[in-house]
């Protein structure tokens, strides 16, 4: 039996680990952070494809669930799926939620995602200067705050059941509002760019548990106004939708009947939205 040559072995390894359901990679710019992808066969054939970044919740395991859950969507829509992994305890203090608010210690998670996208775009010879973003629960925190900070990088955003929301309130500081956003992140709110992003928001109408989302004085992210957007996730997402619509954003809000805090049961709504946006995008 003839053995594979060096180039043949490298090609086989690339096919096994870099395409389809990929291995887990460390980010080159910050190896504390990781990512995995679904890359459809079209990319291996040299076709230009789109990109969806899907962000996990607090448990982190949904990174793999989202990669696998969106794989069929990616296959039939020529769209890669990139799932960042932001570990718990990444700066050694046991914290679980830093990524949701965009900054933790020396880490800017929005910039980390941008670097991951750029690194993978170069790896797969793609133009991912614009991409879509989705997140559920903790990932929903991330997705809408990323859209506020970087609307110019997005062709769509889908926000699933965040526990807390940042309203476009110029009279309150981050994270409740955006008054000091430029001082914190070096980014002003670009109303016009945000208004050009089709935005989807989704939550189960039975997603009513409040034990994890009620901010109490003395807790890590408590600040004045922390609970003002509503008591439950549906109420808070409705407040976010109203805030986005007030600056001209086209928001599709799906309240899914009979569903509680179940990420996999809302993916069909997310896929339907993204499929529609992709079709419209490709007709231009």
């Amino acid at each position: 039996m003839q053995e594979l040559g060096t180039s043949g072995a490298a090609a086989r390894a690339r096919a096994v680990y870099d395409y389809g359901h990929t291995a887990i990679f460390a980010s080159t710019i910050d190896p504390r952070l990781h990512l995995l992808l679904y890359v459809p066969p079209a990319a291996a054939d040299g076709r230009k494809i789109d990109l969806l970044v899907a962000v996990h919740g607090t448990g982190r395991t949904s990174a793999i669930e989202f990669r696998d859950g969106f794989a069929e969507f990616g296959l039939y829509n020529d769209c890669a799926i990139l799932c960042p992994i932001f570990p718990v305890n990444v700066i050694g203090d046991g914290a679980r939620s830093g990524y949701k608010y965009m900054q933790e210690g020396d880490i800017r998670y929005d910039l980390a995602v941008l670097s991951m996208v750029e690194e993978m775009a170069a790896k797969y010879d793609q133009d991912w200067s614009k991409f879509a973003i989705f997140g559920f629960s903790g990932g929903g925190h991330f997705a809408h705050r990323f859209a506020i900070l970087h609307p110019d990088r997005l062709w769509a955003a889908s926000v699933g059941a965040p526990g807390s929301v940042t309203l476009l309130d110029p009279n309150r500081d981050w994270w409740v509002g955006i008054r000091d956003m430029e001082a914190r992140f070096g980014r002003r709110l670009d109303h016009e760019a945000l208004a050009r992003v089709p935005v989807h928001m989704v939550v189960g109408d039975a997603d009513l548990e409040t034990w994890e989302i009620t901010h109490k004085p003395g807790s890590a992210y408590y600040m004045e106004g922390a609970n003002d957007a509503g008591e439950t996730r549906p109420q808070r997402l409705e407040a976010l939708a109203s805030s986005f619509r007030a600056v001209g954003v086209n928001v599709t809000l799906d309240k899914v009947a009979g569903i509680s805090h179940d990420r996999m049961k809302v993916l069909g709504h997310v896929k339907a939205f993204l499929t529609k946006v992709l079709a419209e995008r490709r007709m231009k």
Side-chain angles (χ1 to χ4, degrees):
M1 181 176 177
Q2 185 176 4
E3 293 185 4
L4 287 172
T6 302
S7 60
R12 183 169 182 177
R14 183 167 167 81
V16 170
Y17 297 113
D18 292 357
Y19 286 91
H21 297 68
T22 74
I24 296 175
F25 304 107
S27 165
T28 297
I29 199 168
D30 190 339
R32 293 173 295 181
L33 312 179
H34 308 110
L35 65 147
L36 69 163
L37 305 96
Y38 172 76
V39 183
D45 295 335
R47 191 183 309 174
K48 297 305 178 184
I49 62 175
D50 285 288
L51 176 68
L52 168 65
V53 174
V55 185
H56 60 68
T58 309
R60 274 68 174 176
T61 55
S62 57
I64 294 174
E65 293 174 345
F66 289 159
R67 190 272 305 272
D68 296 350
F70 280 109
E72 186 177 32
F73 163 84
L75 174 64
Y76 291 109
N77 288 281
D78 286 348
C79 188
I81 317 300
L82 188 161
C83 299
I85 302 174
F86 305 132
V88 173
N89 194 42
V90 71
I91 61 172
D93 61 356
R96 295 185 295 269
S97 296
Y99 78 99
K100 303 173 189 177
Y101 298 89
M102 292 294 157
Q103 190 160 13
E104 183 177 24
D106 63 338
I107 303 172
R108 274 279 300 275
Y109 287 99
D110 58 324
L111 301 184
V113 164
L114 290 174
S115 72
M116 289 176 182
V117 169
E118 290 168 6
E119 180 179 353
M120 293 300 110
K123 179 183 179 76
Y124 295 103
D125 190 25
Q126 297 291 331
D127 176 8
W128 288 336
S129 53
K130 285 186 179 288
F131 53 92
I133 194 163
F134 162 73
F136 185 88
S137 193
H141 279 251
F142 187 93
H144 82 275
R145 294 187 179 112
F146 187 93
I148 291 169
L149 287 167
H150 302 284
D152 55 307
R153 296 302 306 270
L154 298 176
W155 54 259
S158 181
V159 181
S164 298
V165 295
T166 295
L167 304 183
L168 305 181
D169 185 344
N171 299 311
R172 293 187 176 187
D173 286 339
W174 189 272
W175 59 266
V176 171
I178 60 169
R179 178 169 54 193
D180 62 342
M181 189 173 90
E182 185 176 9
R184 283 178 177 268
F185 301 109
R187 304 282 298 181
R188 291 184 180 181
L189 179 64
D190 188 336
H191 295 83
E192 293 182 358
L194 186 58
R196 288 192 292 269
V197 179
V199 174
H200 177 240
M201 300 185 184
V202 62
V203 66
D205 70 355
D207 193 349
L208 303 176
E209 292 278 358
T210 62
W211 67 272
E212 194 175 18
I213 68 172
T214 302
H215 296 273
K216 298 179 180 179
S219 61
Y221 292 98
Y222 179 80
M223 58 185 296
E224 184 178 349
N227 301 302
D228 287 359
E231 294 183 6
T232 66
R233 294 177 195 268
Q235 290 172 348
R236 293 182 179 186
L237 200 59
E238 287 172 355
L240 183 65
S242 295
S243 182
F244 273 41
R245 286 169 176 157
V247 299
V249 180
N250 182 10
V251 178
T252 300
L253 177 59
D254 281 331
K255 293 179 70 175
V256 186
I259 300 301
S260 58
H261 200 57
D262 191 326
R263 54 187 174 260
M264 302 309 290
K265 290 184 179 178
V266 305
L267 288 196
H269 295 268
V270 180
K271 294 174 191 177
F273 170 79
L274 293 174
T275 299
K276 177 176 180 291
V277 174
L278 265 179
E280 293 170 350
R281 169 177 166 81
R282 290 168 178 172
M283 288 177 63
K284 294 179 180 179

